[in-house]
Each structure stands twice: as structure tokens, then as C-alpha cells.
Amino acid sequence: AKNAVAATSELTGSLTIGTIESICESIFPELLKEFHKQYPNVSVSIVLDSPDVLLDRMNKNSIDIVYLLDQPIDDKRFIKVLEAPEPISFVASSVHPFAGNGPSELSVHTLAKNDPTDLASVISHPFLLTEKNASYRFVLDRCLASLGKEIKPFLEIGNTEFIINMLKQNAGISFLPEFAVRHEVESGILSILPVKDFHMELYRQVLYHKDKWHTGEMDAFIELAKETFQTSSVSDEFPQT
């Protein structure tokens, strides 16, 4: 209450943000670094969990804002301030047989020039996957089930960074958001595997509860999240050939 009526525009409160592990690993470091630079006196807490748990906690007012990757959320309890599609793809080391010979020329938004591999062949290889409560893992399992197929990973772990490090060692294939492996793909360490007749995307979304008291800290984070996304989207564009 004191902060709300104070004459100063300086933000000195707290902010609790709920997100999923892959976003926290790949998007949040730069975002929170810039947020702290602009608002050094704001205390930020991060809660990591599955989308369902995060939304439930936000509904109970224990989280201020949720930043997640999921199917479009259409719930009248929540106000959505950012929504953008994000491709989810099969990923492997650039020296993996499915990636072609030598370093991959793949970018995050382009397919490899080699012929696409069929889905059955890809899922027959050793897999490292996130835990089943991860949004993109759930969607993959459901998609495969509709085709009468399934993946039996040799490793399941909730840490995306660990999976990426394993992929760098050519330890198998994974299924990850392309933004999570952008730097490794652009540097030629990892490759997005082209798969015949397979395309999947979920949506990056930022939401807050419609009954939540709007703090300056919330508004500041929302605006910065939008700006950061717009900047990254522009930098990811490739010239048309």
C-alpha cells in the first residue's frame, strides 16, 4: 500500500514469477539480467513447475505472473499479455547420422537440405526426454499415441541443460523447443532433424490473474518481456533466398 501511494517512481517491491525449466534456462538469464539492471531494488523469486501447477498456484495468488510454453490457454480467470508460436523439434548432435555429414547448416527456422527422415526411424533411436509433465513431452506422447507409436527414452530428466550437454556428446536424440537450442544450432554443434510429415508448435505465453492487483513491478516485467521477445524475433529472421 505504501509503495502504491508513494510519490517516487522507483520500484522497490517484490515479484514472483512462475515458469517452466526450459524457459528459465534459455530465456530468463538475459531477461532477468536486464530487469535487474533497470530495477535493481526489486526482489524477484522464480518458481519452476509444470504449466498446470503454475496456473493453479497463480489462481491461489502465490504467483504474480506465469511465463510458460503450452497449448493456447483460454481461461477467463487469466489475462494473457503475450502469445507467440514456438516450434518444437527433434534435436541431435550435428554428427548424428540423421543430421548429415559434418557440421549442420541448419538454422532455427530452416530445415536441413538433406532428405527428411521418417518418424518411425527417428523414434527408434535412443532418446533423452524431459519428464512427462513437461508440456511439449505431453503433446509429443499424445501425438505418437494417435499414430499407434511411442518413445521409450533411456533417460528422463527435468533439466534441459543436462539434456543439451548429452546431445553435444552425441548420446542420442531429444525433443525440445527450438529456442532452447538456438545458440547450439547456430554454432553448428546441434541440428534440428527434419522429419517427414511432422510439425509441432506450442505457444510462448505470459499471463496473470484477472483479479490480481496490478503492481508496478508486474507492469515493468510484462513490458520488458514483450520488448525482449520482439527483439529476439527480429534477430531470428533470416533473409529470403
Side-chain angles (χ1 to χ4, degrees):
K2 289 180 180 179
N3 289 337
V5 300
T8 178
S9 60
E10 182 181 9
L11 298 180
T12 59
S14 61
L15 184 65
T16 302
I17 307 166
T19 191
I20 62 173
E21 195 271 341
S22 59
I23 286 179
C24 189
E25 291 279 0
S26 56
I27 295 174
F28 269 31
E30 287 299 321
L31 175 58
L32 294 179
K33 177 183 177 181
E34 182 61 27
F35 186 79
H36 178 67
K37 179 181 177 181
Q38 295 186 24
Y39 310 102
N41 295 317
V42 175
S43 174
V44 178
S45 297
I46 303 296
V47 177
L48 296 178
D49 218 313
S50 66
D52 288 344
V53 172
L54 294 174
L55 292 175
D56 180 65
R57 293 190 61 174
M58 186 167 67
N59 190 51
K60 295 175 180 176
N61 200 30
S62 64
I63 290 177
D64 298 318
I65 297 173
V66 165
Y67 195 142
L68 49 73
L69 183 71
D70 204 348
Q71 299 175 82
I73 296 169
D74 185 16
D75 191 318
K76 294 181 179 180
R77 296 174 298 173
F78 309 129
I79 294 176
K80 190 182 302 182
V81 294
L82 173 64
E83 179 178 86
E86 294 285 355
I88 318 296
S89 299
F90 294 104
V91 187
S93 165
S94 292
V95 299
H96 190 281
F98 287 158
N101 297 322
S104 171
E105 297 180 358
L106 294 175
S107 70
V108 175
H109 295 292
T110 58
L111 289 176
K113 295 179 180 179
N114 55 307
D115 293 333
T117 307
D118 66 273
L119 181 61
S121 297
V122 171
I123 65 175
S124 68
H125 279 241
F127 259 82
L128 310 90
L129 291 177
T130 53
E131 296 166 323
K132 292 184 177 181
N133 63 349
S135 53
Y136 41 93
R137 167 71 188 279
F138 173 79
V139 172
L140 174 64
D141 286 342
R142 188 174 65 177
C143 175
L144 293 177
S146 70
L147 300 173
K149 304 178 186 297
E150 66 174 332
I151 292 177
K152 294 182 179 179
F154 75 87
L155 175 66
E156 292 179 308
I157 185 171
N159 190 302
T160 307
E161 185 176 4
F162 182 87
I163 291 177
I164 292 173
N165 286 333
M166 292 287 285
L167 294 178
K168 290 178 181 178
Q169 299 176 47
N170 198 22
I173 301 173
S174 191
F175 187 71
L176 296 169
E178 291 188 3
F179 65 71
V181 294
R182 177 170 291 117
H183 298 304
E184 289 78 8
V185 170
E186 290 177 344
S187 62
I189 299 172
L190 300 181
S191 290
I192 306 297
L193 304 182
V195 179
K196 292 179 182 176
D197 302 320
F198 184 89
H199 174 75
M200 185 175 293
E201 63 183 18
L202 294 178
Y203 285 78
R204 185 194 304 211
Q205 299 163 84
V206 178
L207 310 96
Y208 65 90
H209 199 282
K210 66 180 181 62
D211 297 328
K212 179 72 178 179
W213 171 260
H214 242 253
T215 66
E217 290 76 14
M218 287 175 59
D219 289 337
F221 178 83
I222 288 170
E223 288 307 309
L224 185 59
K226 290 179 179 179
E227 292 173 9
T228 303
F229 171 73
Q230 291 169 355
T231 301
S232 65
S233 297
V234 171
S235 65
D236 288 340
E237 293 178 356
F238 290 84
Q240 298 296 319
T241 57

